[in-house]
Amino acid sequence: MCAAVPHFAALEPALSEFGKLMTREPRLRAMVSAAARGDLDEACDILNVMLEAAGATVRVRRAPTGWALTTTDVAVSPAECVSSLAHLIAADGWRRIKVCEKPSCTEAFIDRTNGGTRRFCDSHRRNMGRQ
């Protein structure tokens, strides 16, 4: 399964600044050069160093189907949290934002199942099938 690719318009104006930033940032030029010569692991390493230096908690890693975003163990800021939520909603709508269906529970969670069928929070999902 492929990850949803955001529309380029959703990534603006940041992408528009890429060319300008590349002229001032040697690490960006090195990253692009590594990618152009086919050394994608080096390009990824450079990008991840830049992400870390900028204080971002997201990193890029090689995955079986291409490339994936992961988060670090660094605490995620509220801005990054709602930004990630906005990206999820833009890619897949609101259907994965849920509240536990156990009557006495009001816990919210993100449904990460392939079919979007999860009904219970972490505290209750293991126990509900046995009741």
Side-chain angles (χ1 to χ4, degrees), residues 3-11 15 87 90-91:
V5 177
H7 295 283
F8 284 107
L11 301 174
L15 287 181
H87 282 282

PDB file of all heavy atoms in Angstrom, residues 3-11 15 87 90-91:
ATOM      1  N   ALA A   3       1.684   5.300   0.529  1.00  0.00           N
ATOM      2  CA  ALA A   3       1.238   6.409   1.363  1.00  0.00           C
ATOM      3  C   ALA A   3       0.593   7.465   0.475  1.00  0.00           C
ATOM      4  O   ALA A   3       0.918   7.587  -0.700  1.00  0.00           O
ATOM      5  CB  ALA A   3       2.429   7.006   2.101  1.00  0.00           C
ATOM      6  N   ALA A   4      -0.322   8.204   1.046  1.00  0.00           N
ATOM      7  CA  ALA A   4      -0.974   9.273   0.306  1.00  0.00           C
ATOM      8  C   ALA A   4       0.048  10.359   0.008  1.00  0.00           C
ATOM      9  O   ALA A   4       0.827  10.740   0.869  1.00  0.00           O
ATOM     10  CB  ALA A   4      -2.130   9.838   1.113  1.00  0.00           C
ATOM     11  N   VAL A   5       0.068  10.838  -1.212  1.00  0.00           N
ATOM     12  CA  VAL A   5       0.965  11.914  -1.607  1.00  0.00           C
ATOM     13  C   VAL A   5       0.186  13.216  -1.539  1.00  0.00           C
ATOM     14  O   VAL A   5      -0.845  13.352  -2.190  1.00  0.00           O
ATOM     15  CB  VAL A   5       1.499  11.694  -3.045  1.00  0.00           C
ATOM     16  CG1 VAL A   5       2.369  12.859  -3.470  1.00  0.00           C
ATOM     17  CG2 VAL A   5       2.260  10.388  -3.125  1.00  0.00           C
ATOM     18  N   PRO A   6       0.651  14.158  -0.725  1.00  0.00           N
ATOM     19  CA  PRO A   6      -0.084  15.415  -0.629  1.00  0.00           C
ATOM     20  C   PRO A   6       0.006  16.192  -1.934  1.00  0.00           C
ATOM     21  O   PRO A   6       0.981  16.082  -2.677  1.00  0.00           O
ATOM     22  CB  PRO A   6       0.606  16.158   0.510  1.00  0.00           C
ATOM     23  CG  PRO A   6       1.941  15.520   0.648  1.00  0.00           C
ATOM     24  CD  PRO A   6       1.835  14.129   0.112  1.00  0.00           C
ATOM     25  N   HIS A   7      -1.023  16.958  -2.229  1.00  0.00           N
ATOM     26  CA  HIS A   7      -0.968  17.829  -3.396  1.00  0.00           C
ATOM     27  C   HIS A   7       0.141  18.852  -3.184  1.00  0.00           C
ATOM     28  O   HIS A   7       0.369  19.306  -2.067  1.00  0.00           O
ATOM     29  CB  HIS A   7      -2.309  18.544  -3.586  1.00  0.00           C
ATOM     30  CG  HIS A   7      -3.423  17.604  -3.909  1.00  0.00           C
ATOM     31  ND1 HIS A   7      -3.579  17.066  -5.159  1.00  0.00           N
ATOM     32  CD2 HIS A   7      -4.419  17.106  -3.154  1.00  0.00           C
ATOM     33  CE1 HIS A   7      -4.628  16.265  -5.159  1.00  0.00           C
ATOM     34  NE2 HIS A   7      -5.156  16.274  -3.941  1.00  0.00           N
ATOM     35  N   PHE A   8       0.815  19.217  -4.251  1.00  0.00           N
ATOM     36  CA  PHE A   8       1.897  20.191  -4.125  1.00  0.00           C
ATOM     37  C   PHE A   8       1.393  21.491  -3.520  1.00  0.00           C
ATOM     38  O   PHE A   8       2.098  22.140  -2.758  1.00  0.00           O
ATOM     39  CB  PHE A   8       2.573  20.441  -5.478  1.00  0.00           C
ATOM     40  CG  PHE A   8       3.491  19.323  -5.879  1.00  0.00           C
ATOM     41  CD1 PHE A   8       3.144  18.454  -6.890  1.00  0.00           C
ATOM     42  CD2 PHE A   8       4.694  19.127  -5.224  1.00  0.00           C
ATOM     43  CE1 PHE A   8       3.974  17.416  -7.255  1.00  0.00           C
ATOM     44  CE2 PHE A   8       5.542  18.097  -5.579  1.00  0.00           C
ATOM     45  CZ  PHE A   8       5.180  17.227  -6.597  1.00  0.00           C
ATOM     46  N   ALA A   9       0.154  21.857  -3.841  1.00  0.00           N
ATOM     47  CA  ALA A   9      -0.400  23.093  -3.291  1.00  0.00           C
ATOM     48  C   ALA A   9      -0.435  23.058  -1.764  1.00  0.00           C
ATOM     49  O   ALA A   9      -0.276  24.087  -1.111  1.00  0.00           O
ATOM     50  CB  ALA A   9      -1.798  23.333  -3.846  1.00  0.00           C
ATOM     51  N   ALA A  10      -0.600  21.871  -1.182  1.00  0.00           N
ATOM     52  CA  ALA A  10      -0.638  21.747   0.274  1.00  0.00           C
ATOM     53  C   ALA A  10       0.737  21.962   0.890  1.00  0.00           C
ATOM     54  O   ALA A  10       0.845  22.238   2.081  1.00  0.00           O
ATOM     55  CB  ALA A  10      -1.181  20.376   0.661  1.00  0.00           C
ATOM     56  N   LEU A  11       1.772  21.821   0.103  1.00  0.00           N
ATOM     57  CA  LEU A  11       3.136  21.980   0.605  1.00  0.00           C
ATOM     58  C   LEU A  11       3.695  23.381   0.360  1.00  0.00           C
ATOM     59  O   LEU A  11       4.822  23.678   0.740  1.00  0.00           O
ATOM     60  CB  LEU A  11       4.046  20.928  -0.039  1.00  0.00           C
ATOM     61  CG  LEU A  11       3.633  19.485   0.212  1.00  0.00           C
ATOM     62  CD1 LEU A  11       4.521  18.542  -0.587  1.00  0.00           C
ATOM     63  CD2 LEU A  11       3.662  19.137   1.679  1.00  0.00           C
ATOM     64  N   LEU A  15       7.701  24.808  -0.488  1.00  0.00           N
ATOM     65  CA  LEU A  15       8.417  24.285  -1.652  1.00  0.00           C
ATOM     66  C   LEU A  15       8.940  25.401  -2.547  1.00  0.00           C
ATOM     67  O   LEU A  15       9.979  25.255  -3.183  1.00  0.00           O
ATOM     68  CB  LEU A  15       7.528  23.333  -2.454  1.00  0.00           C
ATOM     69  CG  LEU A  15       7.279  21.971  -1.828  1.00  0.00           C
ATOM     70  CD1 LEU A  15       6.392  21.133  -2.744  1.00  0.00           C
ATOM     71  CD2 LEU A  15       8.558  21.237  -1.530  1.00  0.00           C
ATOM     72  N   HIS A  87      -2.585  16.875   8.131  1.00  0.00           N
ATOM     73  CA  HIS A  87      -2.136  16.103   6.974  1.00  0.00           C
ATOM     74  C   HIS A  87      -2.939  14.812   6.835  1.00  0.00           C
ATOM     75  O   HIS A  87      -3.322  14.427   5.730  1.00  0.00           O
ATOM     76  CB  HIS A  87      -0.641  15.778   7.070  1.00  0.00           C
ATOM     77  CG  HIS A  87       0.241  16.926   6.717  1.00  0.00           C
ATOM     78  ND1 HIS A  87       0.480  17.308   5.427  1.00  0.00           N
ATOM     79  CD2 HIS A  87       0.934  17.783   7.498  1.00  0.00           C
ATOM     80  CE1 HIS A  87       1.282  18.358   5.419  1.00  0.00           C
ATOM     81  NE2 HIS A  87       1.568  18.665   6.665  1.00  0.00           N
ATOM     82  N   ALA A  90      -6.402  15.722   5.589  1.00  0.00           N
ATOM     83  CA  ALA A  90      -6.356  16.117   4.175  1.00  0.00           C
ATOM     84  C   ALA A  90      -6.197  14.903   3.271  1.00  0.00           C
ATOM     85  O   ALA A  90      -6.761  14.847   2.177  1.00  0.00           O
ATOM     86  CB  ALA A  90      -5.215  17.107   3.942  1.00  0.00           C
ATOM     87  N   ALA A  91      -5.452  13.904   3.729  1.00  0.00           N
ATOM     88  CA  ALA A  91      -5.205  12.711   2.915  1.00  0.00           C
ATOM     89  C   ALA A  91      -6.348  11.707   2.973  1.00  0.00           C
ATOM     90  O   ALA A  91      -6.631  11.031   1.985  1.00  0.00           O
ATOM     91  CB  ALA A  91      -3.908  12.035   3.357  1.00  0.00           C
TER      92      ALA A  91
END
